[in-house]
Amino acid sequence: MKNAYRIGEVATRTGCSPESIRHYEKLGLLPTPKRSQQGYRYYDQAVLERVGFIRHGRSLGLDLHSIQELLALSDHPDTDCGAADDIATRHLQHLEARIAKLQALATELRQVVQQCRGGKAADCQIIQTLYDHTLDCSERGCGQIEA
Amino acid sequence: MKNAYRIGEVATRTGCSPESIRHYEKLGLLPTPKRSQQGYRYYDQAVLERVGFIRHGRSLGLDLHSIQELLALSDHPDTDCGAADDIATRHLQHLEARIAKLQALATELRQVVQQCRGGKAADCQIIQTLYDHTLDCSERGCGQIEA
DNA sequence: CTAAACCCTGTAATCGTTACAGGGTCAAGC
DNA sequence: GCTTGACCCTGTAACGATTACAGGGTTTAG
């Protein structure tokens, strides 16, 4: 039973790059690890679970700040868990809103694409549509795009 | 009929910030404008349509590079319009893939949220689920997240 | 004549990750 | 011994599009 990993081994075991691991440490999501005499980071088993937690959160689309909050809850087992529910629920609503927006964009874009009948750019309906002011920002609330 | 706008007026008429307009100019999406003796940018009517084009493209989720290609096509009316169709179609497929991915995330997150029955963080199923390795990156292909 | 509102340039921030540069360390093979 | 390759370190910059400064100049209305 080996319980001292260098960063590369943590990386391969978790599917997370060494750069990201160092990044998480800098942001405070991972504890400051022990160092060898030469300055190499050495990790124990626990960090594998913690990195796994982070990657799973990221794979769900949570941002690192939310994951940090969830880790803080996890680090204080006596805290009420409602905050975790808040974070997850808020993110779910965020996702649902984004999906709705992307679907609207895809619908509009599908119409744009179908208008193209080939030919010269001068007559291209895709380009014409993009020039069309009646569909653009000032009409709808389209501040953020993040698409 | 006034046909000389300063950047701020272009901004209010197009719903696009002056910073973004300068940014588009730096990237080459907008032509270098005339300057007053004091160095102020002065624009004519044409830039309003061009900025409108860009904003409409952005509101559809196109990136500035794609928009630049579309503008180039528009600037050369004799070019074949197939490239525009390519760009739009490619982006549409990109959008559809993203939607599918976000929907999968939302489904998974919905399951996670429903598991929370309140109580202490130590027992919180949201946190437990995030620690669960069987769902994480190494199992599925979850390299890019961009959610 | 002064204050508000505008403009300029250049730089840094955001988010998470990747990719360097420039250097040190450690193993195996010759 | 000595080299080669695989690791590790730090710090910085890049990606994309936008926003937010700092630090300065100009115009306009009161």
Side-chain angles (χ1 to χ4, degrees):
Chain A
M1 170 167 169
K2 179 185 167 192
N3 54 354
Y5 310 106
R6 291 194 304 193
I7 197 169
E9 198 163 358
V10 175
T12 48
R13 281 171 187 259
T14 59
C16 180
S17 74
E19 289 87 355
S20 292
I21 294 171
R22 285 190 280 257
H23 187 54
Y24 300 157
E25 177 187 334
K26 204 181 307 180
L27 296 187
L29 280 79
L30 294 179
T32 308
K34 293 171 209 133
R35 299 283 187 134
S36 74
Q37 285 191 335
Q38 289 73 29
Y40 288 13
R41 289 170 178 80
Y42 273 89
Y43 296 97
D44 56 8
Q45 193 78 28
V47 85
L48 297 181
E49 291 171 24
R50 203 166 175 94
V51 173
F53 186 106
I54 297 170
R55 298 309 288 180
H56 192 184
R58 288 290 297 132
S59 79
L60 287 171
L62 290 163
D63 58 24
L64 290 178
H65 181 72
S66 299
I67 293 172
Q68 189 166 23
E69 291 178 353
L70 291 171
L71 281 168
L73 290 175
S74 173
D75 290 337
H76 299 279
D78 293 336
T79 326
D80 189 275
C81 141
D85 190 61
D86 279 355
I87 292 168
T89 301
R90 224 181 313 130
H91 180 60
L92 181 55
Q93 288 168 353
H94 183 67
L95 272 185
E96 285 167 345
R98 184 105 52 115
I99 289 168
K101 177 154 199 176
L102 290 185
Q103 277 174 336
L105 297 189
T107 299
E108 188 176 350
L109 198 59
R110 250 174 244 121
Q111 291 170 1
V112 171
V113 170
Q114 284 178 351
Q115 288 172 339
C116 182
R117 302 268 172 270
K120 300 299 180 190
D123 311 313
C124 177
Q125 283 305 311
I126 293 177
I127 290 172
Q128 289 308 313
T129 304
L130 284 170
Y131 272 121
D132 187 350
H133 283 207
T134 63
L135 292 172
D136 84 354
C137 294
S138 46
E139 303 292 327
R140 306 168 311 186
C142 78
Q144 283 72 279
I145 290 161
E146 51 176 337
Chain B
M1 170 163 169
K2 179 185 167 191
N3 54 355
Y5 309 106
R6 290 195 306 193
I7 197 169
E9 197 163 359
V10 176
T12 48
R13 282 172 187 261
T14 59
C16 181
S17 75
E19 291 87 353
S20 292
I21 294 172
R22 285 190 282 255
H23 186 54
Y24 299 156
E25 177 188 333
K26 203 182 309 179
L27 295 187
L29 280 79
L30 295 178
T32 307
K34 293 169 206 133
R35 299 281 189 137
S36 75
Q37 285 191 335
Q38 289 72 30
Y40 287 14
R41 289 168 178 82
Y42 273 87
Y43 296 97
D44 55 8
Q45 193 79 27
V47 85
L48 296 181
E49 291 171 26
R50 204 167 175 93
V51 173
F53 186 106
I54 297 170
R55 298 309 289 179
H56 192 186
R58 288 290 297 130
S59 80
L60 287 171
L62 289 163
D63 58 23
L64 291 179
H65 181 72
S66 299
I67 293 171
Q68 189 165 22
E69 291 177 353
L70 291 171
L71 281 169
L73 290 175
S74 173
D75 291 337
H76 299 280
D78 292 335
T79 327
D80 190 276
C81 145
D85 190 61
D86 279 355
I87 292 169
T89 303
R90 223 181 313 130
H91 181 60
L92 182 56
Q93 288 169 351
H94 183 67
L95 271 185
E96 285 167 344
R98 184 105 54 113
I99 289 168
K101 177 154 197 176
L102 290 185
Q103 278 175 336
L105 295 189
T107 300
E108 187 176 350
L109 198 59
R110 250 175 243 119
Q111 292 171 359
V112 171
V113 169
Q114 284 179 350
Q115 288 172 339
C116 182
R117 301 270 171 267
K120 300 300 181 189
D123 311 313
C124 177
Q125 283 304 311
I126 293 177
I127 291 172
Q128 289 307 314
T129 304
L130 285 170
Y131 273 121
D132 187 349
H133 282 206
T134 62
L135 293 173
D136 83 355
C137 295
S138 45
E139 303 292 326
R140 304 169 314 186
C142 76
Q144 283 72 277
I145 290 160
E146 53 174 336

